[in-house]
Amino acid sequence: MMQFDQALAEAEKLMARRAYAPAHRICMQALERDPEAAAAWFLLGVLAADHGNVGRAADLFEKAVMFAPHDPRPHAHLARALMLLNEQADAVEAAEIAAALHPRDALTLDTLGVVFSRAGLHARAIPFFEAAVARNGRNAELLFNLGASRQFLGDFAGAEAAYAGAVAIDPDAHRAWSSRVTLARQTPERNFRPELERLFAIHAHDPERALHFAHALAKTSEDLGDPVAALAWLQRGKAVRRVCAGYDPARDAAIFDAAGQTFVASDGTAGFGSDAPVFVVGLPRTGTTLVDRILSSHRDVESLGELAHFGLLVKRMAATPSSLVLDPPTLRAGRAIDPESLGRAFLDSVAGLRGAAPRFVDKMPLNVVYAGLIHRALPDARIVCLRRHPMDSCLANYRQLFATNIPQYDYALDLEDLGRYYLGFDRLVARWRAVLPPDRFCEVAYEDLVHDQEAQTRRLLAFCGLDWDPACLAFHENAAPVATASSVQVRQPLYASSIGRWRAYGEGLAPLRRVLEAGGLDVEADRA
């Protein structure tokens, strides 16, 4: 076990107060006295992680593990660092080692819950979150993590209890508030609007908190039948966030253009032969989770969730110098990657996540930009692209509270930016439609799926080379976890109320409509 002498115990306290410089000095002095001081290596790892230097943090935690192999804490923090580095299989392995060492402190238990949750192992995560809360039930963040994992597993009553506990402890717990409001329809008799309005007023200039409270108020307004007020709340919250995001539409336009050039039909290269993967791509909030649930309800298919693996492999194998995983130079360099090596590397990277099913779904929507490279690397894989009416697609993205630490979604902070992004996406899909084989790339309209579920499900299964399975019509009975924004909706049968939703917002969506129509789309006639 790691030994914290008086000096290192003081360093730990300093770090809790974010007094990093004196804490770092104490740790370095401890290592001068004893180069095998595991606690010093561990604290330096925490310091590096707190400053966003995740690779260095992983190295330091490995040092702590070396000198204190029977202490669960460095194993758990190493697991979290590896997860942030997208080394998922290694992260889960490190987490299992930590779990076998029977951690007892709330932070380590919560850390393990986070690792398992991010790996999609929500049933595995729950006991650790529950144990963390049992040891420190007055921590709102621990309760939020427990609530989120319960929500992903479909335990909405349990999630409500955890979120309610979080805001009872910390009334400003913005993530718990926004998540709580999504769980159930708000009614005139039961809603939190007065409290949320008070909190928004207090935090109106805080980009993160204002965004969460504004989204909660927008959801409340919608539920109470006032879409105009809902849109106004979204605009207020997103305006604050957009100022600090620094979004540049030209960057995404360049990415779409570069992506479209990644597939050359006549280059004569051969990829890796496997029909195991089904990639479900498209814009977020257009039915990708629905199709994932339909497919994974089939007896021969499992869902691996939203994987970043393919894009990360392209980045590593392209070896471009930028710190960005996705940028035009990386996409252009991706054309020189050996397709067979890329396809094999992808299947190897997900092997530890798979069960016994012969087929699996990767439903990362952003993989639409990699569709050309995917087909070159895995020519027998199926790519299913979701389409939806452009106004409904853009509105759904505008209504979605995306993670603020993922800049790829900053296009959704402004209606005109959203319109430009949709046009770029639409042009890219047209490119894939023109160059990819129709038995490998298929578009599915959300509206068609809603209006004729069985026919579209049969078409989808046939495209994927799967025989008929009636369980696919009962996707809402699928008990597997859902760690996406659709975690509530996909546990219900199909409903049509979201089709044409944009019309209820009237002139508030005029800026979006102008951009789409200027780009050549007829929003009155165009369904996809």
Side-chain angles (χ1 to χ4, degrees), residues 360-380:
F360 68 88
V361 178
D362 176 350
K363 69 142 303 234
M364 171 59 77
L366 192 60
N367 276 338
V368 68
V369 302
Y370 298 111
L373 292 174
I374 288 171
H375 181 65
R376 293 181 72 234
L378 294 159
D380 295 323

Side-chain angles (χ1 to χ4, degrees), residues 3 7 64 97 99 101 123 129 141 143 167 189 223 246 260 319 505 525:
Q3 300 298 318
I97 292 172
L101 294 170
F129 286 136
E141 279 296 307
L143 280 161
V167 300
E189 298 76 27
D223 287 351
Y505 289 77

Side-chain angles (χ1 to χ4, degrees), residues 92-236:
V92 171
E93 181 180 354
E96 291 291 5
I97 292 172
L101 294 170
H102 306 294
R104 296 183 178 180
D105 65 289
L107 176 59
T108 302
L109 290 163
D110 180 70
T111 299
L112 291 177
V114 168
V115 171
F116 288 126
S117 181
R118 289 184 177 176
L121 305 172
H122 298 286
R124 184 79 175 107
I126 284 284
F128 293 97
F129 286 136
E130 289 177 340
V133 169
R135 283 161 176 75
N136 184 3
R138 299 297 301 168
N139 186 305
E141 279 296 307
L142 301 186
L143 280 161
F144 170 78
N145 288 341
L146 174 59
S149 215
R150 285 176 172 171
Q151 180 175 341
F152 297 153
L153 283 169
D155 178 9
F156 300 135
E160 161 63 23
Y163 294 145
V167 300
I169 293 166
D170 177 8
D172 291 348
H174 54 289
R175 293 195 300 162
W177 274 117
S178 58
S179 298
R180 188 182 190 188
V181 170
T182 65
L183 284 176
R185 185 174 186 82
Q186 306 298 290
T187 67
E189 298 76 27
R190 186 188 182 279
N191 68 78
F192 309 105
R193 184 160 60 182
E195 179 66 6
L196 291 170
E197 289 177 342
R198 185 187 70 81
L199 290 167
F200 182 88
I202 294 172
H203 301 288
H205 300 292
D206 181 322
E208 175 87 8
R209 292 178 183 272
L211 187 63
H212 278 262
F213 293 130
H215 269 270
L217 283 159
K219 166 66 162 56
T220 301
S221 297
E222 277 195 358
D223 287 351
L224 297 179
D226 193 348
V228 174
L231 187 62
W233 278 116
L234 291 174
Q235 290 169 331
R236 290 180 67 183

